[in-house]
Short mmCIF file of all heavy atoms in Angstrom, two decimals:
data_model
loop_
_atom_site.label_atom_id
_atom_site.label_comp_id
_atom_site.label_asym_id
_atom_site.label_seq_id
_atom_site.Cartn_x
_atom_site.Cartn_y
_atom_site.Cartn_z
N ILE A 174 98.88 88.16 93.17
CA ILE A 174 98.55 88.06 91.75
C ILE A 174 97.09 88.39 91.51
O ILE A 174 96.75 89.01 90.50
CB ILE A 174 98.90 86.64 91.25
CG1 ILE A 174 100.42 86.41 91.33
CG2 ILE A 174 98.40 86.44 89.81
CD1 ILE A 174 101.25 87.37 90.49
N LEU A 175 96.21 88.02 92.45
CA LEU A 175 94.80 88.40 92.32
C LEU A 175 94.67 89.92 92.33
O LEU A 175 93.98 90.50 91.48
CB LEU A 175 93.98 87.78 93.43
CG LEU A 175 92.52 88.23 93.52
CD1 LEU A 175 91.77 87.84 92.24
CD2 LEU A 175 91.82 87.67 94.75
N GLY A 178 95.97 91.36 89.10
CA GLY A 178 95.02 91.12 88.01
C GLY A 178 93.81 92.02 88.08
O GLY A 178 93.34 92.55 87.06
N GLN A 193 85.54 92.23 83.05
CA GLN A 193 85.97 90.88 82.66
C GLN A 193 86.24 90.03 83.89
O GLN A 193 86.26 90.55 85.02
CB GLN A 193 87.22 90.94 81.79
CG GLN A 193 88.43 91.58 82.46
CD GLN A 193 89.60 91.72 81.50
OE1 GLN A 193 90.11 90.73 81.01
NE2 GLN A 193 90.02 92.97 81.27
N VAL A 194 86.44 88.72 83.70
CA VAL A 194 86.74 87.81 84.79
C VAL A 194 88.25 87.71 84.97
O VAL A 194 89.00 87.61 84.00
CB VAL A 194 86.17 86.40 84.49
CG1 VAL A 194 86.59 85.40 85.56
CG2 VAL A 194 84.65 86.45 84.37
N VAL A 195 88.69 87.75 86.21
CA VAL A 195 90.11 87.57 86.54
C VAL A 195 90.26 86.20 87.19
O VAL A 195 89.76 85.99 88.30
CB VAL A 195 90.63 88.69 87.46
CG1 VAL A 195 92.08 88.42 87.85
CG2 VAL A 195 90.47 90.04 86.80
N ASP A 196 90.93 85.27 86.54
CA ASP A 196 91.09 83.90 87.02
C ASP A 196 92.48 83.74 87.62
O ASP A 196 93.46 83.50 86.92
CB ASP A 196 90.91 82.93 85.83
CG ASP A 196 91.16 81.47 86.20
OD1 ASP A 196 91.30 81.16 87.41
OD2 ASP A 196 91.21 80.64 85.28
N ALA A 197 92.59 83.87 88.93
CA ALA A 197 93.88 83.85 89.61
C ALA A 197 94.08 82.49 90.31
O ALA A 197 93.44 82.21 91.32
CB ALA A 197 93.98 84.97 90.65
N ALA A 198 94.92 81.66 89.73
CA ALA A 198 95.27 80.35 90.33
C ALA A 198 96.61 80.45 91.04
O ALA A 198 97.57 81.02 90.51
CB ALA A 198 95.33 79.28 89.23
N ILE A 199 96.69 79.88 92.24
CA ILE A 199 97.94 79.94 92.99
C ILE A 199 99.05 79.21 92.24
O ILE A 199 100.21 79.62 92.30
CB ILE A 199 97.74 79.35 94.40
CG1 ILE A 199 96.81 80.25 95.20
CG2 ILE A 199 99.07 79.19 95.12
CD1 ILE A 199 96.49 79.73 96.58
N ASP A 201 99.46 79.10 88.95
CA ASP A 201 99.95 80.05 87.94
C ASP A 201 100.78 81.15 88.61
O ASP A 201 101.87 81.52 88.14
CB ASP A 201 98.80 80.72 87.20
CG ASP A 201 97.94 79.73 86.41
OD1 ASP A 201 98.41 78.61 86.16
OD2 ASP A 201 96.80 80.10 86.07
#
Side-chain angles (χ1 to χ4, degrees):
I174 295 299
L175 173 62
Q193 61 185 299
V194 174
V195 177
D196 175 10
I199 292 177
D201 298 342

